[in-house]
mmCIF file of all heavy atoms in Angstrom:
data_model
loop_
_atom_site.group_PDB
_atom_site.id
_atom_site.type_symbol
_atom_site.label_atom_id
_atom_site.label_comp_id
_atom_site.label_asym_id
_atom_site.label_seq_id
_atom_site.Cartn_x
_atom_site.Cartn_y
_atom_site.Cartn_z
ATOM 1 N N ARG A 1150 -6.104 44.637 -33.858
ATOM 2 C CA ARG A 1150 -7.067 45.036 -34.860
ATOM 3 C C ARG A 1150 -8.207 45.864 -34.280
ATOM 4 O O ARG A 1150 -8.666 46.853 -34.889
ATOM 5 C CB ARG A 1150 -7.632 43.787 -35.535
ATOM 6 C CG ARG A 1150 -6.707 43.095 -36.571
ATOM 7 C CD ARG A 1150 -7.463 42.080 -37.410
ATOM 8 N NE ARG A 1150 -8.061 41.068 -36.634
ATOM 9 C CZ ARG A 1150 -7.475 39.919 -36.255
ATOM 10 N NH1 ARG A 1150 -6.264 39.726 -36.656
ATOM 11 N NH2 ARG A 1150 -8.047 38.949 -35.533
ATOM 12 N N ASP A 1151 -8.682 45.447 -33.087
ATOM 13 C CA ASP A 1151 -9.718 46.191 -32.419
ATOM 14 C C ASP A 1151 -9.253 47.601 -32.090
ATOM 15 O O ASP A 1151 -9.968 48.547 -32.310
ATOM 16 C CB ASP A 1151 -10.147 45.432 -31.125
ATOM 17 C CG ASP A 1151 -11.536 45.849 -30.626
ATOM 18 O OD1 ASP A 1151 -12.047 46.864 -31.210
ATOM 19 O OD2 ASP A 1151 -12.035 45.222 -29.729
ATOM 20 N N LEU A 1152 -8.007 47.698 -31.573
ATOM 21 C CA LEU A 1152 -7.465 49.019 -31.269
ATOM 22 C C LEU A 1152 -7.292 49.863 -32.538
ATOM 23 O O LEU A 1152 -7.633 51.098 -32.470
ATOM 24 C CB LEU A 1152 -6.122 48.841 -30.569
ATOM 25 C CG LEU A 1152 -6.077 48.817 -29.025
ATOM 26 C CD1 LEU A 1152 -4.716 48.439 -28.540
ATOM 27 C CD2 LEU A 1152 -6.529 50.126 -28.452
ATOM 28 N N GLU A 1153 -6.841 49.265 -33.563
ATOM 29 C CA GLU A 1153 -6.649 49.977 -34.821
ATOM 30 C C GLU A 1153 -7.969 50.548 -35.323
ATOM 31 O O GLU A 1153 -8.064 51.678 -35.786
ATOM 32 C CB GLU A 1153 -5.994 49.086 -35.843
ATOM 33 C CG GLU A 1153 -5.661 49.786 -37.182
ATOM 34 C CD GLU A 1153 -4.934 48.899 -38.169
ATOM 35 O OE1 GLU A 1153 -4.729 47.742 -37.798
ATOM 36 O OE2 GLU A 1153 -4.713 49.362 -39.264
ATOM 37 N N ASP A 1154 -9.004 49.643 -35.300
ATOM 38 C CA ASP A 1154 -10.350 50.025 -35.753
ATOM 39 C C ASP A 1154 -10.841 51.133 -34.878
ATOM 40 O O ASP A 1154 -11.458 52.150 -35.370
ATOM 41 C CB ASP A 1154 -11.308 48.853 -35.733
ATOM 42 C CG ASP A 1154 -10.980 47.830 -36.782
ATOM 43 O OD1 ASP A 1154 -10.169 48.175 -37.734
ATOM 44 O OD2 ASP A 1154 -11.466 46.686 -36.717
ATOM 45 N N LYS A 1155 -10.665 51.033 -33.561
ATOM 46 C CA LYS A 1155 -11.207 52.098 -32.717
ATOM 47 C C LYS A 1155 -10.427 53.403 -32.865
ATOM 48 O O LYS A 1155 -10.955 54.479 -32.790
ATOM 49 C CB LYS A 1155 -11.117 51.649 -31.262
ATOM 50 C CG LYS A 1155 -12.275 50.689 -30.887
ATOM 51 C CD LYS A 1155 -12.281 50.258 -29.476
ATOM 52 C CE LYS A 1155 -13.579 49.519 -29.145
ATOM 53 N NZ LYS A 1155 -13.938 48.468 -30.066
ATOM 54 N N SER A 1156 -9.136 53.271 -33.165
ATOM 55 C CA SER A 1156 -8.357 54.528 -33.444
ATOM 56 C C SER A 1156 -8.869 55.166 -34.700
ATOM 57 O O SER A 1156 -8.966 56.432 -34.754
ATOM 58 C CB SER A 1156 -6.896 54.202 -33.542
ATOM 59 O OG SER A 1156 -6.377 53.707 -32.356
ATOM 60 N N SER A 1157 -9.144 54.379 -35.754
ATOM 61 C CA SER A 1157 -9.713 54.953 -36.978
ATOM 62 C C SER A 1157 -11.053 55.585 -36.694
ATOM 63 O O SER A 1157 -11.321 56.712 -37.161
ATOM 64 C CB SER A 1157 -9.840 53.874 -38.031
ATOM 65 O OG SER A 1157 -8.570 53.323 -38.356
ATOM 66 N N ALA A 1158 -11.926 54.860 -35.929
ATOM 67 C CA ALA A 1158 -13.253 55.434 -35.652
ATOM 68 C C ALA A 1158 -13.144 56.711 -34.825
ATOM 69 O O ALA A 1158 -13.802 57.662 -34.967
ATOM 70 C CB ALA A 1158 -14.093 54.411 -34.938
ATOM 71 N N GLN A 1159 -12.219 56.707 -33.866
ATOM 72 C CA GLN A 1159 -11.940 57.871 -33.039
ATOM 73 C C GLN A 1159 -11.482 59.072 -33.845
ATOM 74 O O GLN A 1159 -11.970 60.177 -33.645
ATOM 75 C CB GLN A 1159 -10.876 57.540 -31.964
ATOM 76 C CG GLN A 1159 -10.750 58.659 -30.930
ATOM 77 C CD GLN A 1159 -9.722 58.248 -29.875
ATOM 78 O OE1 GLN A 1159 -8.644 57.704 -30.189
ATOM 79 N NE2 GLN A 1159 -9.993 58.587 -28.606
ATOM 80 N N CYS A 1160 -10.599 58.797 -34.800
ATOM 81 C CA CYS A 1160 -10.105 59.864 -35.683
ATOM 82 C C CYS A 1160 -11.263 60.427 -36.510
ATOM 83 O O CYS A 1160 -11.396 61.642 -36.607
ATOM 84 C CB CYS A 1160 -9.005 59.320 -36.556
ATOM 85 S SG CYS A 1160 -8.377 60.576 -37.699
ATOM 86 N N ILE A 1161 -12.104 59.514 -37.001
ATOM 87 C CA ILE A 1161 -13.244 59.987 -37.821
ATOM 88 C C ILE A 1161 -14.254 60.796 -36.977
ATOM 89 O O ILE A 1161 -14.711 61.848 -37.378
ATOM 90 C CB ILE A 1161 -13.915 58.758 -38.481
ATOM 91 C CG1 ILE A 1161 -13.005 58.146 -39.531
ATOM 92 C CG2 ILE A 1161 -15.262 59.188 -39.125
ATOM 93 C CD1 ILE A 1161 -13.477 56.817 -40.067
ATOM 94 N N ASP A 1162 -14.570 60.220 -35.774
ATOM 95 C CA ASP A 1162 -15.536 60.871 -34.940
ATOM 96 C C ASP A 1162 -14.997 62.222 -34.365
ATOM 97 O O ASP A 1162 -15.729 63.196 -34.178
ATOM 98 C CB ASP A 1162 -15.970 60.006 -33.776
ATOM 99 C CG ASP A 1162 -16.998 58.988 -34.273
ATOM 100 O OD1 ASP A 1162 -17.492 59.101 -35.380
ATOM 101 O OD2 ASP A 1162 -17.313 58.032 -33.474
ATOM 102 N N GLU A 1163 -13.711 62.300 -34.130
ATOM 103 C CA GLU A 1163 -13.079 63.558 -33.705
ATOM 104 C C GLU A 1163 -13.178 64.594 -34.850
ATOM 105 O O GLU A 1163 -13.466 65.761 -34.585
ATOM 106 C CB GLU A 1163 -11.627 63.348 -33.275
ATOM 107 C CG GLU A 1163 -11.435 62.691 -31.919
ATOM 108 C CD GLU A 1163 -9.986 62.534 -31.596
ATOM 109 O OE1 GLU A 1163 -9.153 62.684 -32.499
ATOM 110 O OE2 GLU A 1163 -9.697 62.212 -30.390
ATOM 111 N N LYS A 1164 -12.941 64.114 -36.033
ATOM 112 C CA LYS A 1164 -13.110 65.036 -37.186
ATOM 113 C C LYS A 1164 -14.574 65.540 -37.242
ATOM 114 O O LYS A 1164 -14.801 66.738 -37.467
ATOM 115 C CB LYS A 1164 -12.697 64.313 -38.448
ATOM 116 C CG LYS A 1164 -12.856 65.187 -39.674
ATOM 117 C CD LYS A 1164 -12.432 64.454 -40.949
ATOM 118 C CE LYS A 1164 -12.617 65.322 -42.231
ATOM 119 N NZ LYS A 1164 -12.258 64.581 -43.442
ATOM 120 N N CYS A 1165 -15.442 64.614 -37.108
ATOM 121 C CA CYS A 1165 -16.888 65.010 -37.162
ATOM 122 C C CYS A 1165 -17.238 65.928 -36.002
ATOM 123 O O CYS A 1165 -17.985 66.893 -36.159
ATOM 124 C CB CYS A 1165 -17.797 63.753 -37.077
ATOM 125 S SG CYS A 1165 -17.655 62.710 -38.516
ATOM 126 N N PHE A 1166 -16.678 65.630 -34.777
ATOM 127 C CA PHE A 1166 -16.981 66.418 -33.600
ATOM 128 C C PHE A 1166 -16.461 67.876 -33.795
ATOM 129 O O PHE A 1166 -17.036 68.823 -33.316
ATOM 130 C CB PHE A 1166 -16.321 65.790 -32.391
ATOM 131 C CG PHE A 1166 -16.567 66.525 -31.126
ATOM 132 C CD1 PHE A 1166 -17.781 66.449 -30.441
ATOM 133 C CD2 PHE A 1166 -15.544 67.305 -30.527
ATOM 134 C CE1 PHE A 1166 -17.982 67.110 -29.267
ATOM 135 C CE2 PHE A 1166 -15.742 67.986 -29.395
ATOM 136 C CZ PHE A 1166 -16.971 67.900 -28.705
ATOM 137 N N ASN A 1167 -15.350 68.007 -34.479
ATOM 138 C CA ASN A 1167 -14.699 69.319 -34.653
ATOM 139 C C ASN A 1167 -15.199 70.114 -35.863
ATOM 140 O O ASN A 1167 -14.856 71.222 -36.124
ATOM 141 C CB ASN A 1167 -13.179 69.186 -34.778
ATOM 142 C CG ASN A 1167 -12.593 68.715 -33.472
ATOM 143 O OD1 ASN A 1167 -13.007 69.132 -32.414
ATOM 144 N ND2 ASN A 1167 -11.598 67.811 -33.549
ATOM 145 N N LEU A 1168 -16.107 69.434 -36.661
ATOM 146 C CA LEU A 1168 -16.665 70.168 -37.783
ATOM 147 C C LEU A 1168 -17.569 71.337 -37.355
ATOM 148 O O LEU A 1168 -18.353 71.166 -36.401
ATOM 149 C CB LEU A 1168 -17.438 69.265 -38.680
ATOM 150 C CG LEU A 1168 -16.638 68.281 -39.584
ATOM 151 C CD1 LEU A 1168 -17.559 67.371 -40.391
ATOM 152 C CD2 LEU A 1168 -15.775 69.082 -40.535
ATOM 153 N N ARG A 1169 -17.473 72.450 -38.008
ATOM 154 C CA ARG A 1169 -18.327 73.581 -37.755
ATOM 155 C C ARG A 1169 -18.941 74.082 -39.081
ATOM 156 O O ARG A 1169 -18.542 73.652 -40.183
ATOM 157 C CB ARG A 1169 -17.521 74.762 -37.107
ATOM 158 C CG ARG A 1169 -16.889 74.409 -35.772
ATOM 159 C CD ARG A 1169 -17.941 74.184 -34.689
ATOM 160 N NE ARG A 1169 -17.332 73.891 -33.422
ATOM 161 C CZ ARG A 1169 -17.067 72.701 -32.979
ATOM 162 N NH1 ARG A 1169 -17.364 71.623 -33.704
ATOM 163 N NH2 ARG A 1169 -16.496 72.522 -31.803
ATOM 164 N N ASN A 1170 -19.932 74.877 -38.945
ATOM 165 C CA ASN A 1170 -20.594 75.442 -40.134
ATOM 166 C C ASN A 1170 -19.630 76.216 -41.006
ATOM 167 O O ASN A 1170 -19.875 76.459 -42.223
ATOM 168 C CB ASN A 1170 -21.802 76.287 -39.759
ATOM 169 C CG ASN A 1170 -22.869 75.477 -39.053
ATOM 170 O OD1 ASN A 1170 -23.015 74.294 -39.249
ATOM 171 N ND2 ASN A 1170 -23.618 76.148 -38.179
ATOM 172 N N THR A 1171 -18.545 76.688 -40.407
ATOM 173 C CA THR A 1171 -17.608 77.512 -41.151
ATOM 174 C C THR A 1171 -16.402 76.652 -41.652
ATOM 175 O O THR A 1171 -15.458 77.216 -42.179
ATOM 176 C CB THR A 1171 -17.043 78.635 -40.273
ATOM 177 O OG1 THR A 1171 -16.497 78.109 -39.055
ATOM 178 C CG2 THR A 1171 -18.204 79.607 -39.941
ATOM 179 N N SER A 1172 -16.401 75.349 -41.395
ATOM 180 C CA SER A 1172 -15.271 74.486 -41.811
ATOM 181 C C SER A 1172 -15.156 74.463 -43.329
ATOM 182 O O SER A 1172 -16.158 74.534 -44.042
ATOM 183 C CB SER A 1172 -15.435 73.080 -41.257
ATOM 184 O OG SER A 1172 -15.482 73.113 -39.863
ATOM 185 N N ASP A 1173 -13.941 74.383 -43.786
ATOM 186 C CA ASP A 1173 -13.670 74.354 -45.270
ATOM 187 C C ASP A 1173 -14.017 73.050 -45.901
ATOM 188 O O ASP A 1173 -14.330 73.000 -47.095
ATOM 189 C CB ASP A 1173 -12.206 74.698 -45.534
ATOM 190 C CG ASP A 1173 -11.845 76.062 -45.108
ATOM 191 O OD1 ASP A 1173 -12.760 76.947 -45.094
ATOM 192 O OD2 ASP A 1173 -10.680 76.335 -44.795
ATOM 193 N N CYS A 1174 -13.962 71.966 -45.125
ATOM 194 C CA CYS A 1174 -14.111 70.631 -45.759
ATOM 195 C C CYS A 1174 -15.554 70.097 -45.810
ATOM 196 O O CYS A 1174 -15.745 68.969 -46.220
ATOM 197 C CB CYS A 1174 -13.248 69.622 -44.997
ATOM 198 S SG CYS A 1174 -13.687 69.542 -43.237
ATOM 199 N N ILE A 1175 -16.502 70.935 -45.381
ATOM 200 C CA ILE A 1175 -17.895 70.415 -45.474
ATOM 201 C C ILE A 1175 -18.441 70.603 -46.892
ATOM 202 O O ILE A 1175 -18.026 71.475 -47.636
ATOM 203 C CB ILE A 1175 -18.763 71.141 -44.439
ATOM 204 C CG1 ILE A 1175 -18.808 72.692 -44.716
ATOM 205 C CG2 ILE A 1175 -18.316 70.893 -43.012
ATOM 206 C CD1 ILE A 1175 -19.729 73.408 -43.815
ATOM 207 N N SER A 1176 -19.366 69.721 -47.203
ATOM 208 C CA SER A 1176 -19.956 69.755 -48.536
ATOM 209 C C SER A 1176 -21.324 69.034 -48.509
ATOM 210 O O SER A 1176 -21.700 68.472 -47.484
ATOM 211 C CB SER A 1176 -19.064 69.079 -49.595
ATOM 212 O OG SER A 1176 -19.577 69.159 -50.877
ATOM 213 N N PHE A 1177 -22.074 69.055 -49.636
ATOM 214 C CA PHE A 1177 -23.333 68.327 -49.716
ATOM 215 C C PHE A 1177 -23.069 66.943 -50.164
ATOM 216 O O PHE A 1177 -22.252 66.621 -51.069
ATOM 217 C CB PHE A 1177 -24.254 69.023 -50.773
ATOM 218 C CG PHE A 1177 -24.798 70.323 -50.290
ATOM 219 C CD1 PHE A 1177 -24.376 71.540 -50.829
ATOM 220 C CD2 PHE A 1177 -25.781 70.421 -49.290
ATOM 221 C CE1 PHE A 1177 -24.835 72.727 -50.437
ATOM 222 C CE2 PHE A 1177 -26.232 71.588 -48.840
ATOM 223 C CZ PHE A 1177 -25.826 72.790 -49.426
ATOM 224 N N PHE A 1178 -23.690 65.914 -49.479
ATOM 225 C CA PHE A 1178 -23.660 64.554 -49.825
ATOM 226 C C PHE A 1178 -25.118 64.062 -49.837
ATOM 227 O O PHE A 1178 -25.581 63.461 -48.864
ATOM 228 C CB PHE A 1178 -22.787 63.720 -48.857
ATOM 229 C CG PHE A 1178 -21.352 64.088 -48.914
ATOM 230 C CD1 PHE A 1178 -20.856 65.041 -48.028
ATOM 231 C CD2 PHE A 1178 -20.509 63.543 -49.799
ATOM 232 C CE1 PHE A 1178 -19.508 65.435 -48.023
ATOM 233 C CE2 PHE A 1178 -19.142 63.834 -49.837
ATOM 234 C CZ PHE A 1178 -18.680 64.813 -48.916
ATOM 235 N N HIS A 1179 -25.782 64.353 -50.901
ATOM 236 C CA HIS A 1179 -27.236 64.012 -50.956
ATOM 237 C C HIS A 1179 -27.523 62.543 -50.921
ATOM 238 O O HIS A 1179 -26.799 61.745 -51.552
ATOM 239 C CB HIS A 1179 -27.829 64.603 -52.247
ATOM 240 C CG HIS A 1179 -27.713 66.093 -52.344
ATOM 241 N ND1 HIS A 1179 -28.443 66.960 -51.555
ATOM 242 C CD2 HIS A 1179 -26.934 66.890 -53.151
ATOM 243 C CE1 HIS A 1179 -28.158 68.277 -51.859
ATOM 244 N NE2 HIS A 1179 -27.206 68.161 -52.860
ATOM 245 N N GLY A 1180 -28.471 62.167 -50.141
ATOM 246 C CA GLY A 1180 -28.885 60.766 -50.041
ATOM 247 C C GLY A 1180 -28.162 59.963 -48.974
ATOM 248 O O GLY A 1180 -28.452 58.759 -48.819
ATOM 249 N N MET A 1181 -27.101 60.518 -48.332
ATOM 250 C CA MET A 1181 -26.354 59.775 -47.359
ATOM 251 C C MET A 1181 -27.243 59.386 -46.174
ATOM 252 O O MET A 1181 -27.000 58.327 -45.515
ATOM 253 C CB MET A 1181 -25.196 60.631 -46.825
ATOM 254 C CG MET A 1181 -24.091 60.866 -47.817
ATOM 255 S SD MET A 1181 -23.386 59.295 -48.502
ATOM 256 C CE MET A 1181 -22.769 58.588 -47.010
ATOM 257 N N GLU A 1182 -28.254 60.156 -45.861
ATOM 258 C CA GLU A 1182 -29.088 59.832 -44.724
ATOM 259 C C GLU A 1182 -29.909 58.533 -44.989
ATOM 260 O O GLU A 1182 -30.471 57.926 -44.047
ATOM 261 C CB GLU A 1182 -30.032 60.995 -44.392
ATOM 262 C CG GLU A 1182 -31.098 61.266 -45.463
ATOM 263 C CD GLU A 1182 -30.506 62.141 -46.583
ATOM 264 O OE1 GLU A 1182 -29.331 62.431 -46.582
ATOM 265 O OE2 GLU A 1182 -31.336 62.472 -47.530
ATOM 266 N N LYS A 1183 -30.015 58.128 -46.249
ATOM 267 C CA LYS A 1183 -30.811 56.934 -46.579
ATOM 268 C C LYS A 1183 -29.926 55.649 -46.586
ATOM 269 O O LYS A 1183 -30.422 54.579 -46.774
ATOM 270 C CB LYS A 1183 -31.460 57.099 -47.925
ATOM 271 C CG LYS A 1183 -32.399 58.273 -48.017
ATOM 272 C CD LYS A 1183 -32.927 58.487 -49.415
ATOM 273 C CE LYS A 1183 -33.853 59.674 -49.456
ATOM 274 N NZ LYS A 1183 -34.366 59.917 -50.878
#
């Protein structure tokens, strides 16, 4: 379970790490910082 959770987190953080200002999948999510 720990490995699976870390794999999921790794996948998410890798996606975040690879995001650029020109990426197609970026969008506005107002209020998320709160």
Side-chain angles (χ1 to χ4, degrees):
R1150 284 194 300 270
D1151 199 351
L1152 267 172
E1153 183 179 359
D1154 291 345
K1155 280 182 170 51
S1156 294
S1157 298
Q1159 186 180 41
C1160 181
I1161 292 171
D1162 282 350
E1163 282 180 349
K1164 179 181 178 181
C1165 294
F1166 181 77
N1167 292 321
L1168 284 178
R1169 299 294 182 268
N1170 296 331
T1171 56
S1172 298
D1173 295 334
C1174 56
I1175 60 175
S1176 181
F1177 289 108
F1178 295 93
H1179 298 291
M1181 290 303 299
E1182 67 278 3
K1183 300 177 182 178

